[in-house]
Protein backbone atom coordinates (compact mmCIF):
# COMPACT_ATOMS: atom_id res chain seq x y z
CA UNK A 1 0.00 0.00 0.00
CA UNK A 2 1.40 3.37 -0.96
CA UNK A 3 0.02 6.84 -0.32
CA UNK A 4 0.97 9.88 -2.34
CA UNK A 5 -0.15 13.48 -2.38
CA UNK A 6 -2.07 14.35 -5.55
CA UNK A 7 -2.18 18.05 -6.48
CA UNK A 8 -4.04 19.89 -9.23
CA UNK A 9 -2.18 20.03 -12.55
CA UNK A 10 -2.49 23.84 -12.66
CA UNK A 11 -2.89 25.17 -9.09
CA UNK A 12 -5.02 28.25 -8.60
CA UNK A 13 -4.69 30.61 -5.63
CA UNK A 14 -7.96 31.85 -4.12
CA UNK A 15 -10.06 31.67 -0.96
CA UNK A 16 -13.65 30.59 -0.38
CA UNK A 17 -15.54 32.09 2.54
CA UNK A 18 -17.20 29.44 4.74
CA UNK A 19 -20.67 29.66 6.23
CA UNK A 20 -21.89 28.37 9.61
CA UNK A 21 -22.52 24.87 8.25
CA UNK A 22 -18.99 24.67 6.87
CA UNK A 23 -17.54 25.77 10.21
CA UNK A 24 -19.57 23.12 12.06
CA UNK A 25 -18.14 20.39 9.81
CA UNK A 26 -14.60 21.79 9.51
CA UNK A 27 -13.04 19.03 11.64
CA UNK A 28 -14.81 16.12 9.94
CA UNK A 29 -12.55 14.09 7.66
CA UNK A 30 -14.12 12.56 4.57
CA UNK A 31 -12.68 9.31 3.24
CA UNK A 32 -13.87 7.76 -0.01
CA UNK A 33 -13.24 4.15 -1.00
CA UNK A 34 -13.81 2.90 -4.53
CA UNK A 35 -13.84 -0.79 -5.49
CA UNK A 36 -13.09 -2.09 -8.99
CA UNK A 37 -13.36 -5.63 -10.31
CA UNK A 38 -10.00 -5.50 -12.05
CA UNK A 39 -6.57 -4.06 -11.35
CA UNK A 40 -6.32 -0.46 -12.54
CA UNK A 41 -3.31 1.48 -13.74
CA UNK A 42 -2.35 3.34 -10.55
CA UNK A 43 -0.50 6.11 -12.44
CA UNK A 44 -3.42 6.69 -14.84
CA UNK A 45 -5.83 6.86 -11.90
CA UNK A 46 -3.58 9.34 -10.04
CA UNK A 47 -3.31 11.45 -13.21
CA UNK A 48 -7.09 11.50 -13.64
CA UNK A 49 -7.45 12.53 -9.99
CA UNK A 50 -4.99 15.41 -10.51
CA UNK A 51 -6.99 16.47 -13.58
CA UNK A 52 -10.24 16.41 -11.53
CA UNK A 53 -8.61 18.52 -8.79
CA UNK A 54 -7.68 21.07 -11.45
CA UNK A 55 -11.39 21.50 -12.23
CA UNK A 56 -12.42 21.35 -8.54
CA UNK A 57 -9.50 22.98 -6.69
CA UNK A 58 -11.46 23.51 -3.46
CA UNK A 59 -11.14 19.78 -2.73
CA UNK A 60 -7.35 20.20 -2.57
CA UNK A 61 -7.56 23.26 -0.31
CA UNK A 62 -7.20 23.66 3.44
CA UNK A 63 -9.59 25.20 5.94
CA UNK A 64 -8.00 28.10 7.82
CA UNK A 65 -8.90 31.14 9.86
CA UNK A 66 -8.18 34.31 7.87
CA UNK A 67 -9.05 37.81 8.98
CA UNK A 68 -11.26 36.38 11.73
CA UNK A 69 -13.33 34.21 9.37
CA UNK A 70 -13.15 30.57 8.37
CA UNK A 71 -12.08 30.12 4.75
CA UNK A 72 -10.95 27.39 2.39
CA UNK A 73 -7.52 28.41 1.15
CA UNK A 74 -6.89 26.99 -2.29
CA UNK A 75 -3.23 26.92 -3.27
CA UNK A 76 -3.02 23.44 -4.81
CA UNK A 77 -1.99 21.78 -1.54
CA UNK A 78 -3.18 18.34 -2.67
CA UNK A 79 -5.06 15.31 -1.38
CA UNK A 80 -3.70 12.01 -0.03
CA UNK A 81 -4.29 9.16 -2.49
CA UNK A 82 -3.86 5.50 -1.56
CA UNK A 83 -4.17 2.58 -3.94
CA UNK A 84 -4.41 -1.02 -2.71
CA UNK A 85 -4.87 -4.33 -4.52
CA UNK A 86 -6.47 -7.41 -3.02
CA UNK A 87 -7.03 -10.98 -4.06
CA UNK A 88 -10.58 -10.85 -2.71
CA UNK A 89 -13.64 -10.91 -4.92
CA UNK A 90 -15.30 -7.49 -5.14
CA UNK A 91 -18.33 -8.56 -3.05
CA UNK A 92 -16.03 -9.92 -0.34
CA UNK A 93 -13.90 -6.75 -0.38
CA UNK A 94 -16.92 -4.48 -0.03
CA UNK A 95 -18.29 -6.51 2.89
CA UNK A 96 -14.87 -6.48 4.56
CA UNK A 97 -15.06 -2.73 5.23
CA UNK A 98 -17.89 -3.44 7.68
CA UNK A 99 -15.50 -5.54 9.79
CA UNK A 100 -13.17 -3.20 11.67
CA UNK A 101 -10.39 -5.41 13.00
CA UNK A 102 -7.77 -2.69 12.72
CA UNK A 103 -6.24 -4.23 9.60
Amino acid sequence: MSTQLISPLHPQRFEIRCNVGDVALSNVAVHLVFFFERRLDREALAGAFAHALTSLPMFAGRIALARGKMRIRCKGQGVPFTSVSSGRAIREAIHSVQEDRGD
Side-chain angles (χ1 to χ4, degrees):
M1 176 169 62
S2 65
T3 299
Q4 64 189 90
L5 194 65
I6 304 294
S7 298
L9 298 174
H10 307 288
Q12 303 171 43
R13 296 180 68 91
F14 62 95
E15 290 184 353
I16 299 171
R17 212 174 8 169
C18 295
N19 64 26
V20 175
D22 297 323
V23 173
L25 295 173
S26 64
N27 289 322
V28 176
V30 177
H31 301 273
L32 300 175
V33 178
F34 297 95
F35 295 92
F36 300 93
E37 298 223 24
R38 61 183 173 81
R39 185 180 300 266
L40 300 178
D41 180 334
R42 182 178 295 155
E43 294 304 315
L45 196 56
F49 191 25
H51 182 73
L53 290 174
T54 301
S55 298
L56 299 163
M58 67 286 302
F59 289 108
R62 301 291 184 270
I63 294 180
L65 193 61
R67 297 179 293 282
K69 296 186 179 180
M70 190 76 72
R71 298 178 183 273
I72 301 172
R73 284 196 167 155
C74 300
K75 298 189 292 186
Q77 296 95 322
V79 178
F81 171 78
T82 304
S83 175
V84 179
S85 293
S86 170
R88 294 180 176 187
I90 192 163
R91 184 178 297 274
E92 185 182 7
I94 291 170
H95 287 293
S96 73
V97 298
Q98 297 172 2
E99 307 163 4
D100 185 5
R101 296 186 309 258
D103 297 345

